[in-house]
Amino acid sequence: MDKDRPVYVISVAAELVEMHPQTLRLYERKGLIRPKRSSGKTRLYSERDIERLREIRRLTQELGVNLAGVEEIMRLRSELEALQARFEAEVARLKREIGTRLEELERRALPAPGGTEKPSPKDRPVYVISVAAELVEMHPQTLRLYERKGLIRPKRSSGKTRLYSERDIERLREIRRLTQELGVNLAGVEEIMRLRSELEALQARFEAEVARLKLLLLEEGRALPEGSSMGA
């Protein structure tokens, strides 16, 4: 069945996800779900909507994430899906442009750009825990808690002193915003930070792969006989 086909009226959708219809209306007002409408303005939910509602239910009921946290999580998931689709479409396009010589060119083991890049200055561990805590307006014990939860991973000096980088400080400020301004619990924060890491990793992979394929495309152009064209 087409997962995007709107087939379930609100009463059936609510039963499938074990929620009250009023809850589904609330999630729609919050922008967490967007059911289609029939010609008579009846809400119709798709299989993908049902999957999304089940995930919202897991986040709210099992993990205790508030709606602000759920909104952030679902937004990041949508970004991740959109980036993945862009990545796959762009890679497929470039591979079509390179054509039948792709395997031959790849056998030359052309390295992906960026493989020898120097570490960013933002990743340099410079702040001891007392300074890091002051910069993000938290108690050092809170930073230790976040480390135990895997939300932050400071480096260690040779004497085992925790050292935080500028990137760690940015991450801690974002955790502070989520917990203090939006009221997101740590389970929600963990999910949000995991999705952000996935998004950053996919973006880096996307950029490296596209750059590599563009170099292969350039190689292909150079290898063509004089007077030939890529479309020939």
Side-chain angles (χ1 to χ4, degrees):
M1 187 177 77
D2 179 3
K3 282 195 169 186
D4 294 309
R5 185 182 169 201
V7 290
Y8 303 114
V9 294
I10 192 168
S11 58
V12 175
E15 187 177 342
L16 285 170
V17 297
E18 300 177 40
M19 293 178 184
H20 194 281
Q22 200 59 38
T23 307
L24 271 60
R25 291 187 183 98
L26 168 65
Y27 291 165
E28 185 180 349
R29 288 197 300 274
K30 293 284 186 182
L32 295 173
I33 196 82
R34 293 183 178 89
K36 300 290 189 295
R37 300 279 179 150
S38 69
S39 55
K41 303 298 181 184
T42 299
R43 289 175 176 86
L44 290 175
Y45 296 79
S46 67
E47 192 59 42
R48 200 176 302 278
D49 292 330
I50 298 300
E51 289 175 2
R52 189 176 177 93
L53 284 164
R54 284 184 177 135
E55 179 57 14
I56 293 171
R57 183 174 179 270
R58 183 186 75 85
L59 292 167
T60 54
Q61 296 191 21
E62 293 179 28
L63 299 184
V65 182
N66 66 359
L67 288 187
V70 170
E71 193 173 349
E72 188 82 4
I73 288 166
M74 302 313 278
R75 182 184 62 76
L76 287 167
R77 287 195 178 172
S78 294
E79 278 187 34
L80 200 54
E81 287 168 10
L83 181 60
Q84 183 70 45
R86 266 183 56 217
F87 177 25
E88 290 171 1
E90 181 67 2
V91 167
R93 183 188 70 78
L94 288 167
K95 284 183 176 180
R96 281 195 305 271
E97 282 196 45
I98 295 168
T100 56
R101 294 190 66 245
L102 177 62
E103 285 186 19
E104 179 192 336
L105 289 166
E106 283 188 328
R107 275 198 297 272
R108 297 178 187 176
L110 190 67
T116 57
E117 279 184 7
K118 293 180 180 177
S120 167
K122 280 192 171 186
D123 294 314
R124 186 181 168 205
V126 290
Y127 304 114
V128 295
I129 193 168
S130 57
V131 174
E134 187 177 344
L135 285 170
V136 297
E137 299 176 42
M138 293 178 184
H139 194 281
Q141 200 60 38
T142 306
L143 271 61
R144 293 187 183 97
L145 168 65
Y146 291 164
E147 184 180 349
R148 289 197 300 275
K149 292 285 185 181
L151 294 172
I152 198 82
R153 293 183 178 89
K155 299 291 189 294
R156 301 279 178 149
S157 69
S158 55
K160 303 300 180 184
T161 299
R162 290 176 177 85
L163 291 175
Y164 296 79
S165 66
E166 193 58 47
R167 201 177 302 278
D168 291 330
I169 298 300
E170 288 176 1
R171 189 177 177 92
L172 284 165
R173 284 183 176 136
E174 179 57 14
I175 293 171
R176 183 174 179 271
R177 183 186 74 86
L178 291 168
T179 54
Q180 295 189 22
E181 293 180 28
L182 299 184
V184 182
N185 66 359
L186 288 188
V189 170
E190 191 173 351
E191 187 78 4
I192 289 166
M193 302 312 279
R194 182 185 65 76
L195 285 167
R196 289 201 174 169
S197 294
E198 278 186 32
L199 200 56
E200 287 169 10
L202 181 59
Q203 182 70 44
R205 197 173 124 228
F206 178 22
E207 289 171 0
E209 180 65 2
V210 166
R212 185 184 74 86
L213 288 169
K214 282 181 177 177
L215 280 176
L216 285 174
L217 190 58
L218 185 61
E219 278 293 303
E220 168 70 354
R222 285 174 181 161
L224 286 171
E226 194 174 339
S228 298
S229 66
M230 291 292 293

